[in-house]
Amino acid sequence: MTWYGMKQTGLVAAGCLGLFMARAQTTLTWQIKAESGVGDGIDRLCATDYDTRGWVKATVPGTVFGSFVADGLEKDPNFGDNIYHVDRAKYDRNFWYRATFAAPAASGSMTKSAASAGALATSGASAGFAATHTWLNFKGINRSADIWLNGTRLGGLNGFMQRGRFDITKILRANGLNVLAVLVRLPEQPLGNYGAPSYISSAGWDWMPYVPGLNMGITDSVYLSSSGDVLLEDPWIRTALPTNARADCSLSVSVRNVSSQSRDAELRGIIQPGNIRFSRRVSVPADRAVEISLDKTQYSQLVIDQPRLWWPNGYGQPNLYTCQLSLAIGNVVSDTRTVRFGIKRYSYDTVGHVLHLSINGTRVFIKGGDWGMSEYMLRCRGAEYDTKVRLHRDLNFNMIRNWIGSTTDEAFYDACDKYGIMIWDEFWLNANPNLPADPGNFNANAVEKIRRFRNHPSIAVWCPDNEGWPEPPLKEWLREDVAVYDGNDRWYQPNSHAENLTGSGPWANFDPRWYFTPYPGATGGNEGWGLRTELGTAVFPNVESFRKFMPADRLWPRNEMWNQHFFGPSAFNAGPDRYDASIAERYGKPQNIEEYCRKAQLLNIETNKAMYEGWEDHMWEDASGIMTWMSQSAYPSMVWQTYDYYYDLTGAYWGARQACEPLHMLWDPVDNTVKVINTTRQDATLTATAAVYNMDGTPVPAYAQSAIVEASSGTATRCFTMGFGGQKRNLSMGRPAVASSSANGVAAAVTDGNSNTRWSSKAADSEWIYIDLGRPSRINGVGLNWETAYGRAFRIQVSDDTRAWKDVYVTTHGHEGRQQIDFDDTVARYVRMLGSERGTGWGYSLWDFDVFGPDAPAPALSDVHFIRLTLKDKNGATVGSNFYWRGSRRKDFTALNSLPKAALKVTSSITRRDGKCFMAVKISNPLSSPGTAFAIRVQAVKHSGEQILPAYMDDDYFTLFRGESKTVDIEFAEALVVGETPEVRVEPYNK
């Protein structure tokens, strides 16, 4: 069987086995019009002479609203607040799609290579292939549709996962035009969960606007195919690995006879690499389907020795196999299929109530990101998925969470297979205690999804519900769907943030120390690091991208237009006010949008690096992985992204990428320990070095460290402690203390410096004690020295007046003895321990209650100084590197603004091959330079200064001291710079 696929405005080839030669093309164009504006009946609508004036050219695959935008009938919805001014009523209704086409010559076969957008390539049937039936196929319509061809109703579809295959052999006109009409119906609201399955965020979320028409349309491929009387349906290849040296393959496939007579056929298959061949005879009754299963008990060749295993990114190569299947009646081929698969074995455990994932017997530390949608108007197609997923590969990620199943294109799964990116795949439920309008239809779509995508080795987890549990009966139906249609080959995780997970969020930025401190808080799930499926921060783009979607008169200062792109109340979870305050506190209050964007990238680097490093620092103690909310951008905004909507690589991208190196060296800003993180399958003997530099670039030898580290596979190995600071400053010594009650001793005993005197409360849960520091002071932690009567659950709170208290730390894991607690810097006069649950039958009893302020400045260091960490292998090759800036006043990096202007030397060379441009950019900071060149940003640009995007780079935002140089490699498509020579722009922070 050969395939045709809908792309843009016409039928194009979607894949075939090369059985045919193309010889002609015919153009096809889709049009759309609101149902309410079409007064004609179906017979007239399907007439070849129908007047389509007033109809709008449609993009297929695509959406109704997207078609109007593509035709210039709506203002660019990305820009300003244009999308908020669209008349929703114009699109929130049913629409007709209509197209005319000529029947393919002979059997209607065609090849992929001959087709182009808007064209239907045709050819005659080749000898040895039976073309008895012609089929019209649909792979996805949102939300439901009725389909007519030449006035005959073919049937309907309900749910974007449902596939339609209609035998049009007797309806298709061999000569003249054929008319295809599709009535597409609007999804029902509310989308969650009543209208599910649907693209649930289309009704608006805290990161994308309401999309008029709710992304209704023909959203996936439409294609013609031809076959004989017997068809192959949903071939399923499974692999078992008794050991990694042997794979046992099995194949299940349904063979359907669509004729009125019994048919005898032969199934033939070839697996490559290996040239593994097999065949099986089958007899199929009329109008019936027969399930065929093949395994090693019948076919010894399905045992593959020394298989090429599929590994996730960072653990090995994502090797893929291809199985070509054909079904023949006699010597005539009736149908063909090609299946790509990977040989792998997933396994799971929940030791310590933490979900752990292993592949091929190796435990994998999950490093990944969530996708809200591939693009908010479903305009991401084909090769663009390769770009997005390759960027995730380059981020050193190994998993993408397909949030609420909002990415439905096969190209996404293909790209994840190719780049070794596992998928946490979800269905279409969102924490609402209500069922879809039609639970049976929802379940049918879930089964379709599993059957369509189960051959993809990248799928690692099936999850039905975002931050909730499915309502009965779906709760058990979905679990059973996975068991039956995927053989329980992957883990079924009922809830995205509970049941052996540690919740979700928060989604706002924190000081890097927070990610290392027990325990980064969350909503739902268990306490701890564990496996966190979403944790994020606002991420402001660079100014070049900001100007692309923000009107010139709204660039600065912050205003309501920023909120329309989710930097304000519309994205309250992202904490934009907190983000603003962090920039001002850490780097100084910006005076214009250029300065704001430049400083924002430093914050992006800090936060996103710390997010992953905080989890890596606790790898397997209890951390098993983390995914950022979100790793890619579906709409031009200032929140939740690594690369932005235009593929510019922000500071968040580079912070996360560095943190996720397979061999990585990190610094814990809480206790100053340095660890080597090995998330590969190989043990490594490494030389770990740490160097500290003052702002002028001079090294400070007193802080240098070096060690030989035996970094075993899958470990976080401590190598040394940096000698910063000294004793913590105890601000509570001798200060007054006040308690809710005193059963033994007095409140002042906790600040008298004597660990043999104590205060204890009466035997009640809600008791407290606070310390008066005398004046508002900057604090960042407390030390509690509990007697046997300890607090199991308590809060540390701060206040300026003892009336309004704010939590800075909450725990349910208090313990007897000393308990060191760190929290984000805050300014307060009063500090309180508020008990909520006692650990014993007595009250609360403390020997000491210390309140800590900023550490004393480390000697010989400038106000801001730099830490450079380097990992080298036995041969002296650098296999990992890291770079931090550290403030003597903890979060104050404003001294960076006084760095002298850097004077860099830049040279570049360009090579072109295979349709790509490769730039090698050498950046040098000469010995004659005024000083350190900090956070250097490199961009490939056109002669006009416009960025060349997307571009793949191996480094950015790096720092060079005097006498240092670095070469940055950049790759992009040659088609982006036709007729001109690419240039390079290099800008340090201190430009």
Side-chain angles (χ1 to χ4, degrees):
M1 179 160 63
T2 55
W3 299 79
Y4 303 71
M6 283 289 194
K7 186 176 183 181
Q8 301 301 318
T9 57
L11 288 162
V12 302
C16 70
L17 295 180
L19 296 173
F20 305 99
M21 298 287 291
R23 72 181 186 195
Q25 291 184 337
T26 182
T27 300
L28 179 147
T29 301
W30 285 95
Q31 294 175 294
I32 51 175
K33 191 171 184 178
E35 179 190 24
S36 58
V38 178
D40 301 296
I42 192 64
D43 290 340
R44 184 63 198 139
L45 186 62
C46 287
T48 57
D49 63 347
Y50 185 76
D51 184 359
T52 58
R53 286 177 295 179
W55 287 59
V56 172
K57 184 179 178 181
T59 300
V60 176
T63 67
V64 168
F65 180 62
S67 298
F68 278 75
V69 171
D71 293 345
L73 301 176
E74 293 286 355
K75 294 179 180 180
D76 179 6
N78 292 347
F79 188 76
D81 58 356
N82 287 344
I83 196 168
Y84 298 93
H85 295 291
V86 175
D87 179 7
R88 293 184 184 179
K90 181 178 178 181
Y91 301 101
D92 288 359
R93 51 184 176 166
N94 301 338
F95 270 79
W96 278 105
Y97 279 73
R98 186 182 186 277
T100 59
F101 65 95
S107 69
S109 307
M110 75 178 220
T111 67
K112 182 177 181 180
S113 60
S116 60
L120 174 64
T122 65
S123 76
S126 163
F129 187 92
T132 309
H133 301 270
T134 301
W135 304 89
L136 175 64
N137 304 269
F138 288 78
K139 289 187 72 177
I141 292 179
N142 187 36
R143 166 57 172 80
S144 62
D146 288 306
I147 302 164
W148 284 265
L149 180 65
N150 297 332
T152 299
R153 185 178 184 276
L154 302 179
L157 294 176
N158 190 0
F160 54 42
M161 278 293 110
Q162 283 203 346
R163 295 167 288 178
R165 186 185 64 193
F166 307 103
D167 190 340
I168 61 172
T169 308
K170 296 179 180 179
I171 303 171
L172 190 70
R173 296 172 184 146
N175 300 304
L177 290 179
N178 293 272
V179 180
L180 178 59
V182 183
L183 178 60
V184 179
R185 295 185 177 86
L186 182 75
E188 295 184 83
Q189 293 207 62
L191 297 185
N193 293 324
Y194 187 81
S198 183
Y199 300 104
I200 194 169
S201 55
S202 300
W205 216 265
D206 57 358
W207 47 272
M208 64 170 275
Y210 184 103
V211 179
L214 299 173
N215 278 319
M216 67 175 294
I218 300 177
T219 52
D220 211 326
S221 299
V222 182
Y223 57 91
L224 292 177
S225 60
S226 57
S227 77
D229 285 340
V230 289
L231 303 173
L232 293 165
E233 295 182 334
D234 293 327
W236 178 20
I237 296 177
R238 300 173 71 186
T239 59
L241 285 175
T243 76
N244 286 359
R246 190 188 98 207
D248 297 340
C249 298
S250 61
L251 167 69
S252 298
V253 62
S254 182
V255 177
R256 182 174 297 279
N257 180 0
V258 295
S259 75
S260 59
Q261 298 179 355
S262 178
R263 295 294 189 196
D264 293 328
E266 184 178 28
L267 173 68
R268 302 164 186 162
I270 306 172
I271 295 176
Q272 299 287 6
N275 198 33
I276 300 165
R277 297 174 179 267
F278 54 88
S279 63
R280 167 79 174 269
R281 300 289 300 177
V282 59
S283 181
V284 191
D287 296 315
R288 291 279 300 278
V290 173
E291 197 74 23
I292 296 177
S293 296
L294 294 78
D295 60 30
K296 68 174 183 177
T297 62
Q298 307 154 305
Y299 300 88
S300 60
Q301 61 268 44
L302 293 180
V303 175
I304 302 176
D305 291 320
Q306 300 180 38
R308 302 178 184 180
L309 302 181
W310 188 89
W311 290 99
N313 186 32
Y315 288 83
Q317 293 301 311
N319 297 298
L320 293 170
Y321 284 74
T322 299
C323 179
Q324 292 184 334
L325 298 172
S326 64
L327 194 61
I329 301 174
N331 292 322
V332 180
V333 175
S334 179
D335 196 6
T336 62
R337 281 285 194 277
T338 299
V339 180
R340 284 203 317 172
F341 66 98
I343 296 177
K344 85 290 176 221
R345 177 176 61 88
Y346 285 109
S347 56
Y348 312 83
D349 71 73
T350 56
V351 174
H353 301 291
V354 174
L355 177 61
H356 302 99
L357 180 153
S358 298
I359 188 166
N360 308 329
T362 297
R363 184 179 276 189
V364 175
F365 188 80
I366 293 171
K367 297 176 284 189
D370 299 334
W371 282 31
M373 289 181 69
S374 57
E375 203 272 343
Y376 76 113
M377 287 170 52
L378 302 185
R379 292 180 291 185
C380 177
R381 297 291 168 186
E384 194 169 358
Y385 283 105
D386 192 276
T387 299
K388 292 177 182 290
V389 178
R390 177 178 170 181
L391 286 170
H392 282 66
R393 189 275 309 271
D394 292 350
L395 271 162
N396 297 308
F397 284 0
N398 54 38
M399 180 173 277
I400 290 172
R401 178 184 170 207
N402 185 12
W403 178 78
I404 311 190
S406 298
T407 299
T408 57
D409 296 310
E410 186 97 32
F412 165 69
Y413 293 86
D414 288 340
C416 289
D417 291 345
K418 174 182 176 181
Y419 289 113
I421 303 296
M422 299 180 294
I423 301 171
W424 175 292
D425 211 351
E426 299 186 353
F427 296 98
W428 315 285
L429 300 172
N430 179 53
N432 298 315
N434 65 288
L435 283 167
D438 186 343
N441 172 255
F442 181 98
N443 193 63
N445 275 264
V447 170
E448 281 282 83
K449 173 171 179 167
I450 296 169
R451 291 169 69 97
R452 286 175 67 167
F453 299 136
R454 63 190 173 186
N455 284 307
H456 290 275
S458 51
I459 297 176
V461 174
W462 296 110
C463 181
D465 201 319
N466 174 61
E467 298 182 341
W469 286 268
E471 293 292 302
L474 289 179
K475 184 175 184 179
E476 295 305 320
W477 286 3
L478 291 167
R479 183 187 298 276
E480 197 163 295
D481 291 342
V482 170
V484 172
Y485 297 103
D486 195 37
N488 278 330
D489 287 347
R490 281 88 163 191
W491 181 260
Y492 178 80
Q493 175 65 34
N495 181 315
S496 75
H497 78 169
E499 295 198 19
N500 303 301
L501 306 177
T502 59
S504 54
W507 302 271
N509 69 291
F510 287 84
D511 181 81
R513 297 169 63 95
W514 183 83
Y515 300 96
F516 290 82
T517 303
Y519 290 104
T523 300
N526 303 327
E527 190 174 66
W529 281 274
L531 179 54
R532 186 76 56 91
T533 57
E534 54 181 276
L535 175 68
T537 171
V539 173
F540 216 89
N542 281 297
V543 70
E544 295 87 352
S545 291
F546 192 66
R547 292 182 185 277
K548 290 177 182 177
F549 62 83
M550 190 62 58
D553 62 347
R554 295 292 186 270
L555 290 172
W556 187 262
R558 180 177 164 185
N559 54 75
E560 175 57 24
M561 190 67 77
W562 289 29
N563 183 43
Q564 301 304 305
H565 288 264
F566 300 94
F567 200 79
S570 294
F572 64 94
N573 278 328
D577 295 342
R578 182 187 186 97
Y579 190 91
D580 265 350
S582 295
I583 290 176
E585 179 182 25
R586 301 173 89 84
Y587 300 104
K589 188 173 179 63
Q591 300 303 307
N592 52 58
I593 188 58
E594 291 80 9
E595 184 183 352
Y596 191 97
C597 290
R598 191 167 70 253
K599 290 179 175 179
Q601 301 320 308
L602 300 184
L603 183 65
N604 292 341
I605 292 169
E606 282 194 279
T607 307
N608 287 271
K609 184 194 293 187
M611 189 186 305
Y612 287 93
E613 289 186 336
W615 258 251
E616 290 170 336
D617 189 52
H618 299 88
M619 185 166 65
W620 314 137
E621 300 177 14
D622 63 344
S624 68
I626 179 177
M627 289 183 276
T628 185
W629 179 264
M630 290 182 279
S631 56
Q632 79 100 33
S633 180
Y635 173 75
S637 78
M638 290 81 89
V639 294
W640 303 325
Q641 55 196 335
T642 56
Y643 54 85
D644 68 22
Y645 183 83
Y646 307 99
Y647 295 111
D648 188 29
L649 310 180
T650 71
Y653 178 94
W654 295 104
R657 173 181 165 129
Q658 190 167 71
C660 294
E661 294 174 308
L663 290 172
H664 182 61
M665 194 173 172
L666 66 80
W667 164 62
D668 181 338
V670 176
D671 63 12
N672 288 315
T673 58
V674 174
K675 291 182 180 177
V676 172
I677 311 299
N678 183 353
T679 54
T680 75
R681 289 190 294 126
Q682 289 77 39
D683 297 340
T685 301
L686 303 167
T687 300
T689 60
V692 177
Y693 301 82
N694 277 329
M695 281 179 54
D696 62 3
T698 58
V700 188
Y703 296 95
Q705 301 260 20
S706 182
I708 304 296
V709 179
E710 298 295 335
S712 299
S713 171
T715 61
T717 305
R718 185 190 301 253
C719 45
F720 45 73
T721 300
M722 301 297 291
F724 297 127
Q727 295 294 317
K728 286 183 173 290
R729 295 198 299 156
N730 183 4
L731 305 182
S732 63
M733 184 68 69
R735 302 304 308 170
V738 178
S740 56
S741 66
S742 294
N744 191 352
V746 296
V750 300
T751 61
D752 64 4
N754 185 349
S755 295
N756 294 311
T757 60
R758 67 185 175 95
W759 158 83
S760 65
S761 72
K762 67 181 182 181
D765 281 332
S766 298
E767 297 294 311
W768 49 260
I769 182 171
Y770 73 73
I771 296 169
D772 180 1
L773 300 178
R775 59 185 175 82
S777 304
R778 184 172 295 277
I779 60 175
N780 54 36
V782 301
L784 302 177
N785 186 7
W786 293 102
E787 198 246 355
T788 303
Y790 68 95
R792 175 177 286 114
F794 61 88
R795 300 169 182 267
I796 301 299
Q797 300 179 314
V798 297
S799 175
D800 291 327
D801 56 13
T802 72
R803 291 187 297 276
W805 293 92
K806 181 180 74 171
D807 292 344
V808 291
Y809 178 81
V810 179
T811 187
T812 57
H813 291 279
H815 56 79
E816 182 181 349
R818 294 190 179 275
Q819 193 165 354
Q820 179 71 44
I821 295 167
D822 291 282
F823 45 79
D824 207 3
D825 273 21
T826 189
V827 175
R829 174 174 174 175
Y830 303 95
V831 184
R832 178 168 77 167
M833 187 287 298
L834 172 64
S836 52
E837 181 184 353
R838 291 165 291 151
T840 69
W842 295 296
Y844 300 96
S845 182
L846 283 169
W847 299 106
D848 304 297
F849 186 171
D850 301 330
V851 178
F852 298 121
D855 296 347
L861 294 176
S862 52
D863 288 345
V864 176
H865 39 278
F866 308 113
I867 306 169
R868 178 179 283 174
L869 306 180
T870 307
L871 277 178
K872 293 189 176 182
D873 64 16
K874 291 179 179 179
N875 300 317
T878 298
V879 295
S881 62
N882 207 347
F883 188 87
Y884 303 90
W885 45 99
R886 181 182 182 274
S888 293
R889 290 185 293 274
R890 190 161 165 182
K891 296 196 295 184
D892 182 358
F893 304 120
T894 54
L896 292 169
N897 301 321
S898 66
L899 283 168
K901 182 177 179 179
L904 298 174
K905 180 180 179 181
V906 179
T907 60
S908 64
S909 62
I910 302 171
T911 57
R912 302 171 189 252
R913 64 179 183 273
D914 302 325
K916 300 174 182 177
C917 280
F918 299 88
M919 298 183 72
V921 183
K922 184 177 181 180
I923 303 102
S924 301
N925 187 19
L927 286 170
S928 58
S929 171
T932 301
F934 176 66
I936 301 167
R937 182 182 177 212
V938 181
Q939 304 169 73
V941 298
K942 299 180 180 180
H943 184 69
S944 63
E946 177 189 354
Q947 289 176 288
I948 301 172
L949 297 172
Y952 308 101
M953 302 174 59
D954 63 354
D955 206 356
D956 213 0
Y957 294 100
F958 54 89
T959 294
L960 294 177
F961 301 120
R962 282 180 289 194
E964 293 184 335
S965 63
K966 184 178 187 66
T967 298
V968 175
D969 293 318
I970 308 174
E971 173 195 335
F972 48 86
E974 192 173 9
L976 296 174
V977 289
V978 173
E980 66 174 289
T981 300
E983 300 176 6
V984 66
R985 180 187 301 147
V986 177
E987 297 176 316
Y989 179 81
N990 50 320
K991 62 180 180 177

